[in-house]
Amino acid sequence: MARLRVAYEYSEAEDKSIRLGLFLILSGVVSLFILSFCWLSPALQDLRGTVANCTVLSVEELGEAFECTFTCGTGCRGTALYPCLQIYVNNSASRSRALLHQDEHQLLTNPKCSYIPPCERENQKNSKNVKIWQEYWNVEIGLRPFTCYLNQLRRPDDVLLRRTHDENVLMHCFLWPFVTFLVGVLIVALTICAKSLAVKAEAIQKRKFS
């Protein structure tokens, strides 16, 4: 029996394998909580939005400029100005007038404007980018309906051109923590099973020669 207890003691390599497995199990559980808090909650809020058809009511520049931050190299930053473009649409879900935004990030950055251009150092370039966007909605889209998204409970007066999150976010929130957890469980289980089989094989061999 003394020899049998010694045989059940794990080697250094087996002990490291079990520790690695336990670390992966713990990492999977912790990452699930972190990803759920950082990604899953905003994604669920985003996916609750209603899909609708929108048509343009008006496209106009507001006589007001807003600041944006540009980068010009390592440790180099500055501010520039861009004109405020407002695109009002009618949506098929609520049948009401709403302000269009590129996505939720731009909505939160500047809820007054429909488009925030990539920030350039020169104000003229920013104005040019806004003019191109204004022409696109006036000429290319015009009165043609397009898909938009709105959340009547959170922001009934705003609609989004695209969602910031989609169903893939939900998959990634659960897939990678689950894979990490599963790999950890497999490492621990295989290490214990391998050790158990080795001990049984050793015991059988000893019985044959006893």
Side-chain angles (χ1 to χ4, degrees):
M1 290 299 292
R3 289 180 181 178
L4 192 60
R5 278 196 295 270
V6 172
Y8 264 106
E9 291 180 357
Y10 292 103
S11 65
E12 184 179 353
E14 291 167 339
D15 187 58
K16 287 182 178 179
S17 295
I18 292 178
R19 288 183 183 182
L20 175 61
L22 294 176
F23 173 75
L24 290 176
I25 292 172
L26 181 62
S27 298
V29 174
V30 172
S31 60
L32 178 62
F33 281 104
I34 293 175
L35 291 176
S36 298
F37 179 77
C38 296
W39 276 8
L40 187 59
S41 181
L44 289 176
Q45 290 288 342
D46 201 3
L47 293 175
R48 283 176 190 162
T50 305
V51 180
N53 286 324
C54 286
T55 52
V56 177
L57 295 176
S58 65
V59 182
E60 57 188 21
E61 268 193 39
L62 187 68
E64 188 176 354
F66 290 87
E67 284 189 352
C68 63
T69 302
F70 64 85
T71 57
C72 47
T74 306
C76 176
R77 306 184 67 157
T79 58
L81 297 176
Y82 66 92
C84 182
L85 180 68
Q86 291 185 330
I87 303 172
Y88 282 97
V89 299
N90 182 35
N91 67 83
S92 60
S94 63
R95 302 288 181 182
S96 60
R97 183 172 177 262
L99 184 62
L100 178 69
H101 301 272
Q102 284 285 97
D103 51 37
E104 188 164 0
H105 174 70
Q106 290 205 1
L107 169 61
L108 296 175
T109 302
N110 189 345
K112 202 170 183 177
C113 304
S114 296
Y115 176 62
I116 301 175
C119 195
E120 301 283 350
R121 183 195 293 262
E122 293 82 9
N123 296 340
Q124 293 80 5
K125 288 185 178 181
N126 293 324
S127 297
K128 183 179 179 181
N129 287 334
V130 173
K131 287 288 186 184
I132 292 173
W133 196 244
Q134 183 177 4
E135 184 177 353
Y136 169 79
W137 284 97
N138 273 325
V139 178
E140 296 293 332
I141 301 299
L143 298 177
R144 286 192 293 125
F146 60 92
T147 302
C148 59
Y149 305 92
L150 71 154
N151 191 321
Q152 293 178 321
L153 295 178
R154 294 180 64 197
R155 290 187 175 272
D157 298 326
D158 298 287
V159 296
L160 304 178
L161 183 61
R162 59 174 178 265
R163 283 172 170 161
T164 305
H165 308 92
D166 56 19
E167 288 80 2
N168 290 329
V169 174
L170 302 180
M171 182 189 70
H172 288 297
C173 278
F174 289 106
L175 177 62
W176 299 116
F178 176 74
V179 169
T180 304
F181 179 84
L182 183 61
V183 170
V185 170
L186 288 175
I187 290 175
V188 173
L190 290 176
T191 303
I192 294 175
C193 287
K195 184 63 177 179
S196 178
L197 291 174
V199 169
K200 288 180 180 179
E202 184 182 358
I204 293 173
Q205 189 175 12
K206 284 181 179 181
R207 288 195 194 101
K208 286 183 179 180
F209 290 99
S210 59

